[in-house]
Amino acid sequence: MNKTLTLSMLLLSHLFWFGLKASAQNKPAGTIAGMVKDNQQKPLGYATISLLKAKDSSLVKGALTDDNGAYKITGAANGSYLVSVSMIGYQKVFSKPFAISEGNASFTVEKLVLEAGGQQLKGVSIVAQKPLIEHKIDRTVLNVENSVLAAGNNALEILQKAPGVTLDKDDNISLKGKQGVTVMIDNKLTYLSSAQLATLLRSTDGNSIQSIEIITNPSAKYDAAGNSGIINIKMKKNKSSGTNGSLILGAGYGAYPRTSESLTLNHKEGRFNFFGSYNHGNRDWYNELDIDRVVGSSNNTTFFNQKTFIKQISYSNNYRFGTDYDITKKHTIGFVVNGYFNGENNNNIANTLIGAREGVTDSLQKTYSNLHQTYKNFAFNLNDRLQLDTAGQELAIDLDYSKFNNNNIAQYNTDFFLADGNTQRTPLSLRNQAPSVINIKTGKADYTKNIKKIGKLEAGIKLSDVQTDNDLQAQKLAGSSGYINDTARTNRFVYTEKISAAYINLSHTFKKLSVQVGLRAENTHSNGNLVTTNQVVDRNYLNFFPSLFLQESINAKNDVGFTYSRRIDRPSYDNLNPFVYYLDQYTYSQGNPFLKPQYTQSFELNYTYNKAINVSLSYSRTTDVITEVIKTVNKASFDTQLNLQTQNAYSLNINAPFTFTKWWTGNLNFNGFYLGFKSDSLLGSSLSRGKAAFQAKVLQTFLFGKGFKAELSGDYQSPLVYGVFNIRPQYAIDGGLSKSFANKKANVKLSVSDIFNTRTNNLSSNYSNTNIYIYQKRDTRVALLTLTYNFGNSKLTPTRRHNSGADAEKNRVKSGG
């Protein structure tokens, strides 16, 4: 590891260590921890914990137990206390009195056992649950488990209802108006592109989700990739021995039919825990793409009017299985295997009218294209977790290997006509075969220790090695000679990347103030080799990524916080690939091997009232912004990625749940933001543009009794500016009706997305020598009927979260959809 990196880590840890030690001596604050179980020795989750003064039983602080029945209360001043535990359906219990002092700042309460009885309503099962939305020092948590969101909704539908989260027509996820979000499931990346991730989430039942964590400014523990933050979907933990699972069957119809099937199984036997899932889907849909553009100067102008209809037939198969084995109560090892084999067929028809004057056609061309794409992935994770003591000292190790095999076979046939319909010239026939192989190897180790009077120490290292090989074999039809090699387009691109990383994170609580500070260092060596043209792009750079979190609890109803972090976004492997992909002769896309990574510094100030209403103000500045642009060469327009100089983003986010009656509840989210872009040199001229915009989202839930539930949601996005593009307004209304039965083990739901078929993606750009308007309409109004059945024991022994070391690398791989 680089000496500078190591010395910086040691200096940071020592400075913070001694600073905390000095502060702790001046402001002692105790920590109280314990465990709550029922009379069968099973952990009780979400029990109410009250810290009381021993002399008069007045309330000092409150908390809830987690899924394992554990709780922790921090920031207790010196004095004598006792703990009470209450939960509906159980008798209230109290601990023995104990004292917190400078010499005894941490105290573990004896195990408290609740006996059934007390507040038990005859014939009614009451479940204690967390608030729907929680705001913590470094994240916002949407508690899905036991909420009205769980039944009848899939993971994608729930994610769209999360505060500040929006999805565009391509299922790209934005957080508070910014793209570049990293999505994880159980602290592991999903290995999938945005479209394939959407397919997986659609087949994941909401009843299997515990919570969704929204981390706008991740700590140093996480990979530094992702300028908009991280969304982590945590699946339910298992709570006792036995077998359980869920079966989901879905069928829908938009313009075309679609189906989906999903099976999940869990089994706990002795020291072994087995888990697995399989999802399959067939999805047919269409995409209407109209492009009007004017290229050239005033003396030499060409008008293009292009209409393309894309029919896609896709299938997806995703699998995941693994095992945990408890060597001892404190030592667990396990493995996880997951992957997919997906494919799609696109049949496109593009008609292009060409003329020297607007509205006058001089010639036209018709392109028929057929694309067959397959995406395969196999990934293996080996993990080891060792609890070194009972005070929170822990060591976790992950080893990962993942291989991607993607292939793209395309055939393009273009006919050329004069305005009167006569043939203009010989048809053009092209075909491509573009196999791609990506290998990712990673290893990481994470260490955690709670240090008396100091706080919580987290430290770790990570190594990753990525190799990609893309081989575009392009051919053109040459009369009687048949297809011959097209040397102008044939290319091979080999890319390698090695990243070495280390981090340290320290956190402490000073009475009502919680502090977390961290530093991550990443050294990157990348090499992009255009084999055919013998062009090499070699980079080696070291970056430091600090983070800071502050949270002050003013009183029981008011909390304020501040966060800061620095992040990096490396280009996706697909965007680095310089291959050309055609829509027709005048329209195509191309990667850019010279793209540089972008860097973002983010600041956020937030306020929470009554643990429910949250207001946040944020600012971020991104340099070398990776942005999509339209370039024109010889009258042909193509989209590619370039680095702009800076992006400044300002945001005001308000999230407020509301309750009108017991049967009518909802949530309102408003996000106002300004995005400004600047670049001294872009396509031969300077760029300075920005616009204020807003997004609003309302979710309403209606409970009708007897298992019936209805949902109605609406969202609106105002016009906005993103780079060189002007994006038009977007809006839609979704609705659904569900019914639970068979003691809530089964649920049937009928839902309709985009009820009024209003969701479109319209944008324009007038920059350099190109004026372009794009209208895009996809198959967004879809009716879905979903049947979910949960079977077996619904409470299994807790399984561990496997935080794969290959998180950031796999998210940069395209996987279809």
Side-chain angles (χ1 to χ4, degrees):
M1 186 64 63
N2 186 289
K3 290 183 178 180
T4 305
L5 185 156
T6 306
L7 289 173
S8 299
M9 288 293 183
L10 290 173
L11 178 61
L12 175 72
S13 61
H14 279 79
L15 286 174
F16 192 75
W17 187 292
F18 290 119
L20 286 179
K21 190 171 183 180
S23 299
Q25 291 173 349
N26 294 329
K27 297 182 178 182
T31 299
I32 297 116
M35 177 72 67
V36 178
K37 295 187 176 182
D38 64 12
N39 55 10
Q40 296 181 355
Q41 297 304 305
K42 294 180 180 179
L44 285 177
Y46 311 142
T48 301
I49 306 296
S50 299
L51 179 64
L52 311 173
K53 289 184 179 180
K55 63 178 181 179
D56 58 8
S57 295
S58 60
L59 177 64
V60 179
K61 277 194 171 186
L64 291 174
T65 57
D66 62 18
D67 295 303
N68 299 319
Y71 64 89
K72 180 183 289 186
I73 300 174
T74 60
N78 293 342
S80 297
Y81 300 97
L82 53 85
V83 167
S84 72
V85 185
S86 60
M87 188 173 184
I88 294 177
Y90 294 87
Q91 297 178 6
K92 190 174 185 178
V93 299
F94 294 85
S95 73
K96 297 176 182 178
F98 57 88
I100 293 294
S101 63
E102 293 186 19
N104 184 31
S106 297
F107 185 82
T108 301
V109 179
E110 72 273 16
K111 180 177 64 178
L112 298 176
V113 178
L114 297 187
E115 298 287 342
Q119 304 175 51
Q120 181 71 43
L121 301 181
K122 184 178 180 180
V124 179
S125 176
I126 300 178
V127 181
Q129 63 185 68
K130 296 182 179 180
L132 180 63
I133 297 175
E134 284 186 290
H135 301 282
K136 299 186 177 182
I137 185 172
D138 60 348
R139 66 196 64 194
T140 298
V141 181
L142 180 68
N143 290 305
V144 178
E145 186 175 17
N146 296 327
S147 76
V148 294
L149 295 178
N153 283 322
N154 61 49
L156 187 67
E157 292 170 325
I158 295 172
L159 182 60
Q160 289 177 292
K161 297 172 176 62
V165 178
T166 56
L167 274 73
D168 67 11
K169 48 85 185 176
D170 292 320
D171 295 320
N172 294 307
I173 298 171
S174 295
L175 185 56
K176 295 185 178 180
K178 295 193 300 179
Q179 296 183 1
V181 182
T182 298
V183 178
M184 307 170 73
I185 296 179
D186 283 339
N187 296 318
K188 293 182 61 179
L189 283 194
T190 53
Y191 304 33
L192 306 173
S193 69
S194 57
Q196 192 57 34
L197 172 63
T199 300
L200 174 63
L201 295 180
R202 285 190 184 97
S203 62
T204 301
D205 179 38
N207 282 307
S208 64
I209 298 175
Q210 175 180 309
S211 62
I212 296 176
E213 299 178 336
I214 302 169
I215 312 170
T216 52
N217 288 327
S219 72
K221 182 177 181 178
Y222 295 94
D223 288 293
N227 75 311
S228 297
I230 293 172
I231 295 175
N232 184 31
I233 302 173
K234 299 181 70 174
M235 309 306 289
K236 279 186 181 178
K237 296 180 180 180
N238 302 324
K239 295 179 181 176
S240 64
S241 297
T243 303
N244 73 5
S246 64
L247 175 66
I248 306 172
L249 301 175
Y253 197 89
Y256 307 100
R258 58 187 67 188
T259 59
S260 63
E261 307 86 32
S262 173
L263 177 65
T264 301
L265 292 171
N266 298 282
H267 179 73
K268 170 69 176 177
E269 188 71 35
R271 295 186 177 185
F272 282 96
N273 185 73
F274 305 93
F275 52 91
S277 64
Y278 172 72
N279 305 309
H280 171 75
N282 290 302
R283 185 181 179 213
D284 297 2
W285 56 274
Y286 74 87
N287 185 3
E288 292 181 2
L289 179 63
D290 296 347
I291 303 175
D292 293 326
R293 65 182 182 269
V294 183
V295 300
S297 62
S298 58
N299 298 326
N300 185 20
T301 302
T302 303
F303 293 82
F304 293 86
N305 176 258
Q306 180 185 70
K307 295 185 181 296
T308 304
F309 183 83
I310 302 171
K311 169 70 183 298
Q312 184 182 90
I313 301 172
S314 63
Y315 64 87
S316 61
N317 299 273
N318 304 281
Y319 61 88
R320 179 178 184 266
F321 64 88
T323 299
D324 289 331
Y325 176 69
D326 298 324
I327 300 174
T328 67
K329 291 183 178 180
K330 297 181 178 181
H331 190 187
T332 304
I333 60 173
F335 74 88
V336 182
V337 174
N338 61 280
Y340 55 78
F341 47 100
N342 306 329
E344 59 188 46
N345 288 297
N346 289 7
N347 294 294
N348 309 339
I349 302 175
N351 293 291
T352 305
L353 307 180
I354 307 170
R357 292 176 297 164
E358 186 175 6
V360 178
T361 301
D362 299 326
S363 63
L364 60 94
Q365 64 180 40
K366 179 173 288 189
T367 300
Y368 301 89
S369 56
N370 180 269
L371 290 82
H372 175 68
Q373 302 173 87
T374 58
Y375 306 90
K376 298 178 182 179
N377 167 246
F378 172 82
F380 180 80
N381 166 263
L382 183 65
N383 51 81
D384 189 347
R385 179 179 177 182
L386 176 63
Q387 295 179 356
L388 300 173
D389 58 29
T390 58
Q393 186 175 196
E394 183 177 290
L395 177 65
I397 297 174
D398 280 89
L399 299 175
D400 286 85
Y401 171 75
S402 187
K403 184 173 184 177
F404 298 82
N405 281 285
N406 301 337
N407 196 19
N408 183 316
I409 300 174
Q411 176 79 42
Y412 307 94
N413 299 306
T414 303
D415 296 318
F416 303 90
F417 302 96
L418 296 171
D420 59 8
N422 292 320
T423 300
Q424 183 184 36
R425 61 185 178 91
T426 304
L428 175 67
S429 294
L430 305 173
R431 67 184 185 188
N432 298 338
Q433 184 169 352
S436 173
V437 178
I438 302 175
N439 287 283
I440 300 174
K441 292 174 283 188
T442 68
K444 76 183 188 77
D446 297 287
Y447 173 75
T448 304
K449 182 177 176 63
N450 291 315
I451 304 171
K452 191 175 182 180
K453 294 186 179 182
I454 301 300
K456 183 179 180 181
L457 167 69
E458 297 174 292
I461 59 173
K462 176 184 174 182
L463 303 173
S464 68
D465 185 349
V466 179
Q467 297 177 334
T468 76
D469 191 342
N470 305 273
D471 188 10
L472 174 61
Q473 302 159 26
Q475 296 177 317
K476 59 183 178 181
L477 184 62
S480 60
S481 300
Y483 281 95
I484 62 174
N485 182 44
D486 187 348
T487 57
R489 295 188 300 117
T490 295
N491 207 340
R492 185 182 177 199
F493 179 64
V494 178
Y495 179 80
T496 61
E497 180 183 87
K498 299 179 187 295
I499 301 176
S500 303
Y503 75 89
I504 185 170
N505 218 39
L506 289 151
S507 56
H508 189 76
T509 299
F510 306 92
K511 290 189 175 180
K512 294 183 177 181
L513 175 65
S514 298
V515 181
Q516 183 184 123
V517 64
L519 178 65
R520 185 179 186 91
E522 294 187 354
N523 187 84
T524 305
H525 181 204
S526 64
N527 182 280
N529 184 7
L530 290 160
V531 178
T532 306
T533 58
N534 198 29
Q535 289 180 280
V536 176
V537 181
D538 190 84
R539 292 193 175 106
N540 196 335
Y541 50 93
L542 171 66
N543 295 124
F544 293 92
F545 303 98
S547 61
L548 172 66
F549 303 87
L550 304 172
Q551 184 169 357
E552 174 81 14
S553 180
I554 299 173
N555 52 45
K557 289 191 175 183
N558 296 277
D559 298 276
V560 294
F562 172 79
T563 64
Y564 163 77
S565 68
R566 183 173 187 259
R567 311 285 294 167
I568 186 176
D569 279 287
R570 300 176 182 88
S572 71
Y573 308 129
D574 196 49
N575 284 338
L576 289 169
N577 188 341
F579 296 171
V580 174
Y581 295 97
Y582 280 91
L583 188 60
D584 63 24
Q585 185 184 12
Y586 292 102
T587 315
Y588 57 92
S589 64
Q590 184 176 21
N592 179 7
F594 301 101
L595 275 178
K596 296 182 292 184
Q598 67 178 25
Y599 297 90
T600 301
Q601 296 195 75
S602 300
F603 306 82
E604 182 176 297
L605 181 66
N606 59 76
Y607 165 75
T608 303
Y609 174 73
N610 203 25
K611 310 298 181 185
I613 299 175
N614 180 259
V615 180
S616 66
L617 289 169
S618 61
Y619 166 73
S620 67
R621 180 177 176 84
T622 303
T623 57
D624 291 326
V625 188
I626 300 174
T627 308
E628 183 179 5
V629 298
I630 302 293
K631 298 178 69 175
T632 299
V633 177
N634 297 327
K635 297 186 178 181
S637 298
F638 65 97
D639 75 283
T640 187
Q641 303 282 330
L642 293 178
N643 290 105
L644 302 186
Q645 192 171 349
T646 59
Q647 172 193 298
N648 290 288
Y650 305 84
S651 174
L652 167 65
N653 187 269
I654 302 173
N655 189 82
F658 59 84
T659 300
F660 289 129
T661 67
K662 291 182 179 180
W663 54 269
W664 183 4
T665 61
N667 193 83
L668 170 66
N669 182 258
F670 173 85
N671 184 48
F673 57 93
Y674 173 86
L675 299 178
F677 298 84
K678 289 187 178 181
S679 188
D680 292 338
S681 178
L682 175 66
L683 303 179
S685 59
S686 62
L687 173 75
S688 179
R689 61 198 313 263
K691 186 180 180 68
F694 72 91
Q695 298 165 334
K697 182 187 302 183
V698 180
L699 166 68
Q700 299 179 81
T701 301
F702 307 90
L703 302 177
F704 298 123
K706 296 184 178 181
F708 282 98
K709 181 183 74 171
E711 288 183 351
L712 186 67
S713 63
D715 63 87
Y716 176 84
Q717 177 180 281
S718 70
L720 61 90
V721 165
Y722 203 92
V724 299
F725 293 100
N726 299 306
I727 300 176
R728 303 296 175 90
Q730 299 179 12
Y731 49 92
I733 294 177
D734 306 327
L737 178 67
S738 65
K739 171 73 167 70
S740 296
F741 53 95
N743 199 24
K744 294 187 177 181
K745 288 186 175 182
N747 180 276
V748 61
K749 179 179 181 179
L750 176 64
S751 63
V752 180
S753 62
D754 194 9
I755 295 173
F756 300 103
N757 204 26
T758 56
R759 190 176 298 281
T760 59
N761 187 47
N762 303 333
L763 53 92
S764 62
S765 177
N766 187 1
Y767 195 80
S768 186
N769 62 341
T770 303
N771 184 353
I772 187 169
Y773 176 80
I774 300 173
Y775 166 86
Q776 190 168 24
K777 182 70 180 81
R778 297 181 66 176
D779 192 7
T780 56
R781 181 165 60 183
V782 179
L784 291 171
L785 182 65
T786 305
L787 174 65
T788 303
Y789 180 69
N790 300 300
F791 56 88
N793 187 354
S794 61
K795 296 184 177 181
L796 295 179
T797 301
T799 58
R800 295 180 298 124
R801 301 303 179 202
H802 303 125
N803 187 6
S804 165
D807 291 350
E809 294 76 19
K810 295 168 186 170
N811 209 39
R812 295 159 64 194
V813 181
K814 183 178 180 181
S815 56

